[in-house]
Amino acid sequence: MAKKLDKVDVVVVGMGWAGGIVAAEMAKAGKKTVGLEKGEHIKREDYIGVKDELRFDNQFQIMQELKKDTVTSRNELDETALPIRTRKKMQIGANLGGASVHWAGATYRYWPYEFEIRSKTIERYGEDKIPEDMNLQDWGITYEEMEPYYEKWEYTAGISGEQDPNAPKRNKPWPNPPLKESPSLKLFKDACKELGHKPFQVAAGNMSQNYENPDGEKLNACMYCSFCTRHGCDFSAKSDPLATVIPTALKHDNFELRTRANVRRVLYDKDTKKATGVLYVDENTGEEYEQPAEVVVLAAFAFTNNRLLMLSEIGEQYDPETRKGIIGRNFNGQYNNAFAGVKGFFDNKKFNLYAGAGAMGAAITDFAADNFDHTDLDFIGGGAIELRQYGFAAISSSNNIKEGTPSWGADYKKESLNYAYRALQIWYTNNTMSYWHNYTDLDPTYKDEYGDPLLRVTYKFGSGTKEIMEFGVEKCREIMEKMGADYIKEDSIPEEFDHEFSGGHYTGGVVMGDDPETSAVNNYLQMWDVDNLFVVGGSAFPQFGGHHPTPTIGALSYRASEGVEKYLKDKKQLVKAKTKTTNA
């Protein structure tokens, strides 16, 4: 029998960027708030002395263990999905701070076109431009409405940036100047300019200088140590929740953080259509607790937000056969079918690639969103072309070998040593669209350690998926040729999604919009069917933009926080639905 605790104003499930922002904003507003985090209570100092490529880049020790809790994956509706059990294939952030702790820091806003992608595509090209298998829909919010939330997140995070010449004008400058320009980045920029493009320094969640954010949290200038992606920063030089919003929340007595708190259900009253709290297991003791709350905020990773709603029987499960239902619809991702590009090998140039930072890079957005004419192209959308200087260590730099080089022996050693710092990678971070056949539901076979069904992902490529990747590879090759590479190796385009969930860029399933027939939450991320339940994070994305998701998750989290405050005051739906039909 679960022990019932005292009721609070807000309970937040998951303490990454999304949950950390909501918790901090609720704490600052004086609301009694509890934050529940499944993982360990990791602090900044726990990452001191862990600059270890083998442990974190190859063995993924900062990621969730998948033996007890994972997802199952399949391509076709009639296949049996199988569990993903190795962290090489799926990297989900574990512990306090979540995936935000190991992110690289690349910061882009989504484009006005992307928030109104269906409307603007039809306006420019006609409805026939949208393939029949694509579930293309507007977000229910505009870029102009999102702009102040982007700005708030960027100043909380202390982003180091340079204005993209193609992007809408900012109301305020970036909080910090851009990171350093290395010779490799300058070579990329010069080549892009010669081709008529407009390069700029990638905005970074890596501090270019010491910084104090509006909440009084202090971050330190980046040392370009190279241990950003898949690593926790031991120097508070990377924008993440451990350096920003979680310390802000913990300064307030009305906020309580509970770690190793594994939430298994949202408690839901079907008669009143209200969430009454959550049920969780204290994994230190094995005891179950019921935490009542006036408002429940699910702010976990997209997989978890989807699964908790399904396990709690909240909302109508999407059915691909009838194409009806909401929960699980428009699942999407940006890894297996994005980041294709080229690697260039230079015989007479050497770059100091051992130094770097997660978002130390240069980019162009001439081929992002609808910044170029798609009339004669067989895809819609686009993305940034990037060159990054992450900082290569011994293991990763040994992979810089030409095609045809043996994978071991004297020739391998000779080539890997020669090209360790003479190879540069460029890639295209393209949009990935949503399709009727891609969705999530509960697996009928596989269960977790508590006997609950795992989340099942059904995902395959749709119309335009390979075409946009091929386009990106071609553009990357043009730039690399202009950079003067002596040999260029193109990334191969996969034939089909191969169940590689690496990278963590997965979204959808609880999507936002203005129509309850095609969306689960409104533009405050408040559920249409359960007005005191907010589902915050990447699960709200109707499609995946052509850039990295973290800034948009951060901006939407500030928008949702505002919505929670409004709800606590007025106790009603915050947005008028486009239609009167709702899902039971």
Side-chain angles (χ1 to χ4, degrees):
M1 184 73 177
K3 180 179 180 181
K4 191 169 184 177
L5 305 172
D6 293 337
K7 189 175 184 180
V8 297
D9 295 317
V10 183
V11 61
V12 183
V13 179
M15 291 298 293
W17 262 125
I21 286 170
V22 175
E25 292 303 292
M26 293 303 101
K28 290 191 290 183
K31 309 302 180 185
K32 189 167 179 57
T33 304
V34 168
L36 300 176
E37 167 57 48
K38 180 181 177 181
E40 302 283 351
H41 191 161
I42 297 295
K43 302 181 181 66
R44 173 65 56 211
E45 52 267 30
D46 292 322
Y47 292 111
I48 294 174
V50 293
K51 297 183 187 299
D52 189 325
E53 186 187 15
L54 179 63
R55 287 177 60 194
F56 299 105
D57 288 330
N58 295 85
Q59 297 175 346
F60 310 106
Q61 289 186 15
I62 202 174
M63 308 301 177
Q64 178 178 302
E65 176 59 61
L66 302 176
K67 292 179 181 178
K68 297 179 180 179
D69 186 10
T70 186
V71 303
T72 66
S73 180
R74 64 180 183 173
N75 298 126
E76 302 290 346
L77 302 184
D78 58 356
E79 283 185 77
T80 298
L82 297 175
I84 306 299
R85 295 296 190 190
T86 66
R87 286 183 284 191
K88 184 177 181 180
K89 280 189 171 286
M90 187 169 74
Q91 295 146 39
I92 299 178
N95 304 320
L96 189 63
S100 311
V101 172
H102 68 79
W103 80 306
T107 300
Y108 299 86
R109 296 179 177 187
Y110 282 176
W111 296 82
Y113 167 78
E114 291 175 315
F115 288 109
E116 301 173 87
I117 190 167
R118 182 177 179 84
S119 299
K120 289 184 178 294
T121 298
I122 293 172
E123 179 184 325
R124 185 172 180 181
Y125 305 106
E127 194 162 0
D128 289 344
K129 187 68 173 175
I130 302 171
E132 290 185 5
D133 60 345
M134 191 179 288
N135 275 352
L136 196 68
Q137 64 189 72
D138 295 346
W139 290 49
I141 197 168
T142 66
Y143 174 84
E144 289 72 22
E145 291 172 302
M146 283 289 290
E147 206 278 340
Y149 303 107
Y150 272 126
E151 183 178 283
K152 187 165 186 177
W153 178 80
E154 289 159 2
Y155 274 76
T156 297
I159 301 300
S160 306
E162 177 180 42
Q163 177 64 21
D164 172 2
N166 290 316
K169 186 178 179 181
R170 301 172 56 84
N171 289 330
K172 291 172 69 174
W174 291 101
N176 287 308
L179 296 177
K180 294 182 183 299
E181 180 187 74
S182 67
S184 67
L185 304 186
K186 186 177 187 302
L187 181 64
F188 172 85
K189 288 181 177 179
D190 289 345
C192 287
K193 288 174 185 175
E194 288 184 45
L195 290 168
H197 307 319
K198 300 172 183 176
F200 60 97
Q201 199 82 356
V202 174
N206 317 106
M207 298 301 101
S208 60
Q209 61 186 11
N210 291 345
Y211 177 73
E212 182 173 334
N213 78 8
D215 292 321
E217 308 301 342
K218 295 180 180 180
L219 292 91
N220 299 313
C222 179
M223 299 183 294
Y224 301 93
C225 75
S226 305
F227 292 90
C228 284
T229 308
R230 293 185 289 274
H231 294 256
C233 181
D234 61 355
F235 195 56
S236 291
K238 183 166 69 171
S239 310
D240 67 32
L242 297 184
T244 55
V245 290
I246 292 174
T248 298
L250 288 168
K251 288 177 181 176
H252 295 78
D253 292 338
N254 56 314
F255 173 72
E256 182 184 355
L257 172 65
R258 300 177 197 154
T259 53
R260 290 185 58 77
N262 189 352
V263 177
R264 294 185 58 205
R265 297 290 189 279
V266 177
L267 301 173
Y268 174 58
D269 187 322
K270 292 185 178 180
D271 294 328
T272 63
K273 292 190 175 180
K274 299 283 186 184
T276 60
V278 298
L279 178 74
Y280 73 93
V281 176
D282 180 341
E283 296 199 327
N284 292 306
T285 64
E287 293 183 83
E288 280 194 328
Y289 292 92
E290 181 181 329
Q291 178 58 69
E294 193 70 36
V295 174
V296 174
V297 178
L298 298 185
F301 192 64
F303 293 144
T304 302
N305 283 351
N306 275 256
R307 183 169 179 249
L308 278 174
L309 290 176
M310 294 172 191
L311 289 173
S312 306
E313 300 181 350
I314 297 174
E316 182 182 352
Q317 171 69 48
Y318 173 71
D319 182 351
E321 300 289 351
T322 64
R323 306 193 192 178
K324 300 293 185 182
I326 300 301
I327 307 303
R329 183 179 188 271
N330 282 30
F331 172 77
N332 212 332
Q334 188 199 43
Y335 248 85
N336 191 249
N337 52 333
F339 295 93
V342 302
K343 181 173 284 189
F345 295 80
F346 296 80
D347 292 332
N348 300 309
K349 287 188 176 75
K350 190 173 183 179
F351 307 96
N352 294 328
L353 300 177
Y354 55 83
M360 181 180 172
I364 61 168
T365 57
D366 301 71
F367 303 106
D370 201 35
N371 295 348
F372 57 109
D373 188 3
H374 289 72
T375 301
D376 297 324
L377 298 173
D378 46 9
F379 63 87
I380 58 177
I385 294 177
E386 295 183 340
L387 185 147
R388 300 266 202 99
Q389 186 164 327
Y390 289 104
F392 288 130
I395 299 172
S396 56
S397 62
S398 68
N399 293 324
N400 289 338
I401 53 174
K402 295 179 180 178
E403 287 178 300
T405 302
S407 59
W408 61 280
D411 287 343
Y412 170 77
K413 291 178 182 178
K414 179 183 176 181
E415 289 291 290
S416 63
L417 286 171
N418 181 56
Y419 287 112
Y421 297 130
R422 298 179 189 271
L424 300 176
Q425 181 86 29
I426 304 174
W427 58 76
Y428 191 44
T429 62
N430 55 267
N431 287 94
T432 56
M433 302 303 182
S434 299
Y435 301 89
W436 69 265
H437 47 72
N438 293 344
Y439 70 105
T440 64
D441 64 353
L442 294 177
D443 193 279
T445 305
Y446 293 95
K447 302 181 186 300
D448 69 6
E449 59 183 320
Y450 296 104
D452 289 329
L454 296 179
L455 188 75
R456 178 171 64 178
V457 174
T458 303
Y459 190 88
K460 66 178 181 178
F461 293 164
S463 299
T465 301
K466 293 181 184 178
E467 289 80 359
I468 196 171
M469 287 190 282
E470 290 166 354
F471 173 87
V473 169
E474 179 185 340
K475 296 301 178 184
C476 290
R477 172 176 271 279
E478 290 175 5
I479 296 170
M480 190 62 80
E481 287 175 349
K482 184 62 68 173
M483 290 169 65
D486 296 286
Y487 175 80
I488 298 174
K489 180 168 71 174
E490 293 186 0
D491 289 335
S492 59
I493 305 299
E495 285 301 313
E496 186 51 271
F497 176 66
D498 60 3
H499 315 292
E500 282 274 358
F501 290 87
S502 60
H505 292 186
Y506 290 90
T507 60
V510 195
V511 304
M512 62 190 292
D514 59 7
D515 184 349
E517 291 187 346
T518 57
S519 62
V521 296
N522 62 28
N523 61 31
Y524 284 100
L525 308 193
Q526 176 190 34
M527 286 201 76
W528 292 113
D529 300 336
V530 188
D531 60 17
N532 71 331
L533 176 57
F534 291 72
V535 187
V536 186
S539 55
F541 289 22
Q543 290 85 216
F544 207 107
H547 299 306
H548 309 274
T550 302
T552 302
I553 290 173
L556 285 172
S557 301
Y558 276 113
R559 170 82 174 175
S561 300
E562 187 178 294
V564 174
E565 278 200 71
K566 287 177 182 286
Y567 177 82
L568 286 169
K569 180 181 178 182
D570 299 327
K571 305 290 178 67
K572 64 180 184 181
Q573 269 288 332
L574 303 174
V575 178
K576 185 176 180 180
K578 183 178 179 181
T579 69
K580 294 181 180 180
T581 305
T582 58
N583 294 292

